[in-house]
Amino acid sequence: MSRREILLGNEAIAHGLLEAGCTLAASYPGTPASEIMGALIQLKKRYGLSCHLEWSINEKVAFEVALANSYAGRRSAVSMKQVGLNVAADPFLSAVYTGVKGGLLVIAADDPGPHSSQTEQDSRLFAHFAKAPVLDPSSPEEAGNWIGAAFELSERHEIPVVLRPTTRICHGRQDLETRPLVEVASAPLFEKDPARWAATPKFRYRLHEELNRKIAAIADDEAFAPKLLNPDALEGRERAGGTGRDCLVASGVALAHATEILQDLGLWNRLPCYQVPMPYPLSHRFRDELFRTCDRVLVLEETEPVIELQLQNRKKVLGRTNGTVPSAGELLPETIEAILRDFAGLPQIGGVQGSVGAGRRPTLCAGCPHRAAFFAIKKAFPRGIYPGDIGCYTLGLNLGAVDTVLCMGAAVSMAAGFYHAYRNAGGKPRPIAATIGDSTFFHAGIPALVNAVVQDARFVLVVLDNSTTAMTGHQPTPAAGRTLDGKPVPAVSIEELARACGVRHVTVGDPYRFDHFVELLKDAGAHTQGDQGGVAVVIARRPCLMDRSHPRDWERRSVIVNEKCEGCAFCIKHFECPALELQGEGQPIRINASLCSGCGVCVHVCPHGALQLEPRK
């Protein structure tokens, strides 16, 4: 029996997967996709389902686990944020050639804006590159409801199908109809076919030809064919006269915004609006019909011109390629309104602008152990080079303790690159202290560390181990000793892994024990400079304060501001703890007791000794 619930977009996707009989879902956490797996595990517990769910060590592994389940004839899904698809690119592109048996849905959540990502890349373009069909929902409801048909499309053409929600879909809420979840009872069946599943280059060429035939057939598959949302507009356009044979083509959230704005501007019954649920491959029949019946076609889509590039008529098509639509940034409602006003010849109320980023500067939480570790790194290596990585600890940038941020695991390999650059130039070596989070270390840091060791690099790698994947919602790491549903499993030791990678100097310290931690760092730095030295790993271990699953096992100490404080704000500029507040120019700072965690690390920060621990009573 169906029911109605107000669901987050990611929850709607989770419902859709289980309503469609998905038997395995794997993921690596990353905003805006993280809540999909969280919702799946809640549904599994609530209804006692037997499907396998896992937080994999990275997106590539997650993809391969899901693909094998599909080869065995069972519906599978893998979810990730858009940059995760880069990590999974190798198996993704190959799997499009081999094809699938059970439906395989690749959920790549994009982040136009970007709100919490290092790129604005468009997974639809990635799907185009891979020759995989991609669906672009315009609401949480569509994201959830399309999944059953997406699995059928995948099985009908034996090809992975990409579902590409964006941040506004993943994190938007909507009143939705949910249906009973489906528990699949059939046994897996893997049929051996080495020419397909283990194809050599000769067979891959044949698979490519087969893939081309599949894409041509999918383009005209009616399941996700473009549709006219306002048929009355065809007649209204003629009655209005003088507007030419114009139409709007849109997909994703841009479509959702555009439909509301068209109604507000009184254009809904005058300007035909087509939704493109599947931007790639674009229906050939739809393309030909547009060019036969329209003089001008405005295309609204995020973020790249995927639909537009398949409409090969530069005289009729307006969009990102000719500057009608901004070439970067999220298409916010005000941006779309300005574009539509221009297109319809209506007076403007403002110019066409791209989106702007959020104004507030993000910062580490009060009492975050990463802040203490970063301050210690700067104290131990004051003229160091600080390669950083992806995670909440990227905010070490604010503290001057992160010089580079590229992608998952790059801190380790870039540290090695800096070492080789200075060594080969024959100059005076500079200390190099790289930072990487515990989850990121498991994700992509290990191969880079092995490479650094065997290439004889020398630097200090600080693994910021807060015992969770903090930035995306506290998912367990392989060191947690439990799966996402709490089942006990072997815990993987970071220090043993580092030693197994060939690192001979591995130490573990608590950044709250500030002076001791600085000494650990200096010892590690000395190892890198010694005759028999190499890479040194220091594990900064202190659980995330926001993760309530860990006990708060430190002695909370109150900090007081004494008469030496002259309000120079050194502590605020260089430590940036939210609990430290300015009162005014030249005034002593104050401690916000409601924010202070009582870690006491800030007493090591003030060069004048103006911060001190309150004496024990």
Side-chain angles (χ1 to χ4, degrees), residues 565-581:
C565 182
E566 299 177 351
C568 70
F570 177 91
C571 57
I572 291 175
K573 294 176 183 173
H574 296 273
F575 196 58
E576 205 182 48
C577 178
L580 300 173
E581 295 180 344

Side-chain angles (χ1 to χ4, degrees), residues 69-222:
N69 192 58
S70 168
Y71 280 3
R74 294 162 72 81
R75 289 187 169 180
S76 315
V78 55
S79 61
M80 62 199 78
K81 69 178 301 178
Q82 88 281 19
V83 292
L85 194 55
N86 303 345
V87 181
D90 209 4
F92 173 49
L93 269 71
S94 191
V96 176
Y97 274 53
T98 65
V100 301
K101 292 299 287 186
L104 176 60
L105 203 54
V106 182
I107 304 168
D110 283 2
D111 187 21
H115 297 270
S116 62
S117 305
Q118 57 267 48
T119 70
E120 268 194 304
Q121 67 191 65
D122 189 331
S123 295
R124 301 175 312 150
L125 205 58
F126 210 138
H128 188 175
F129 169 56
K131 295 188 173 180
V134 56
L135 309 178
D136 194 11
S138 66
S139 68
E141 183 176 33
E142 286 185 346
N145 288 349
W146 286 2
I147 287 175
F151 273 131
E152 292 170 6
L153 183 72
S154 174
E155 290 165 349
R156 188 158 58 248
H157 298 279
E158 297 195 344
I159 191 171
V161 170
V162 179
L163 178 72
R164 179 260 197 175
T166 56
T167 301
R168 303 291 180 183
I169 302 295
C170 294
H171 292 165
R173 289 188 180 274
Q174 194 171 5
D175 179 15
L176 304 173
E177 180 183 9
T178 59
R179 290 162 288 275
L181 308 185
V182 175
E183 183 81 311
V184 175
S186 61
L189 176 61
F190 174 62
E191 297 175 333
K192 291 180 181 293
D193 185 359
R196 180 178 180 186
W197 306 130
T200 57
K202 176 183 177 183
F203 289 106
R204 294 280 169 163
Y205 176 75
R206 294 178 183 172
L207 290 175
H208 191 185
E209 291 181 319
E210 176 63 21
L211 173 59
N212 289 338
R213 286 191 286 271
K214 287 181 182 179
I215 287 297
I218 293 169
D220 290 321
D221 191 308
E222 293 297 321

Side-chain angles (χ1 to χ4, degrees), residues 186-372:
S186 61
L189 176 61
F190 174 62
E191 297 175 333
K192 291 180 181 293
D193 185 359
R196 180 178 180 186
W197 306 130
T200 57
K202 176 183 177 183
F203 289 106
R204 294 280 169 163
Y205 176 75
R206 294 178 183 172
L207 290 175
H208 191 185
E209 291 181 319
E210 176 63 21
L211 173 59
N212 289 338
R213 286 191 286 271
K214 287 181 182 179
I215 287 297
I218 293 169
D220 290 321
D221 191 308
E222 293 297 321
F224 291 99
K227 56 185 177 184
L228 178 63
L229 300 181
N230 50 348
D232 291 345
L234 289 176
E235 295 181 6
R237 184 176 63 183
E238 300 300 327
R239 288 197 303 271
T243 59
R245 297 194 303 168
D246 296 343
C247 77
L248 171 63
V249 174
S251 71
V253 170
L255 171 76
H257 294 326
T259 54
E260 293 182 4
I261 293 167
L262 286 176
Q263 292 170 17
D264 291 344
L265 296 179
L267 296 173
W268 185 248
N269 293 321
R270 294 169 48 195
L271 183 63
C273 176
Y274 293 92
Q275 179 182 15
V276 180
M278 185 170 65
Y280 177 81
L282 188 66
S283 165
H284 302 154
R285 286 198 288 265
F286 173 68
R287 177 197 60 197
D288 295 344
E289 179 67 10
L290 278 186
F291 291 149
R292 188 182 66 80
T293 60
C294 297
D295 296 328
R296 294 196 307 163
V297 179
L298 172 63
V299 182
L300 295 176
E301 55 185 328
E302 288 180 323
T303 307
E304 299 295 333
V306 176
I307 299 172
E308 196 178 327
L309 291 174
Q310 295 173 84
L311 295 172
Q312 297 170 348
N313 187 322
R314 297 299 91 205
K315 293 181 179 178
K316 288 190 174 183
V317 180
L318 306 176
R320 292 185 185 273
T321 55
N322 75 337
T324 302
V325 178
S327 59
E330 189 177 15
L331 288 181
L332 297 172
E334 54 268 34
T335 307
I336 291 177
E337 179 175 345
I339 295 168
L340 287 172
R341 282 179 177 273
D342 267 347
F343 186 65
L346 299 177
Q348 280 292 353
I349 57 173
V352 178
Q353 297 179 347
S355 64
V356 295
R360 188 176 68 85
R361 169 167 149 146
T363 186
L364 294 167
C365 304
C368 175
H370 296 344
R371 176 181 287 103

Side-chain angles (χ1 to χ4, degrees), residues 446-471:
I446 297 168
L449 182 56
V450 171
N451 187 70
V453 169
V454 302
Q455 295 301 324
D456 196 26
R458 298 185 179 207
F459 57 88
V460 176
L461 174 63
V462 181
V463 181
L464 300 165
D465 179 11
N466 61 5
S467 304
T468 188
T469 315
M471 190 175 189

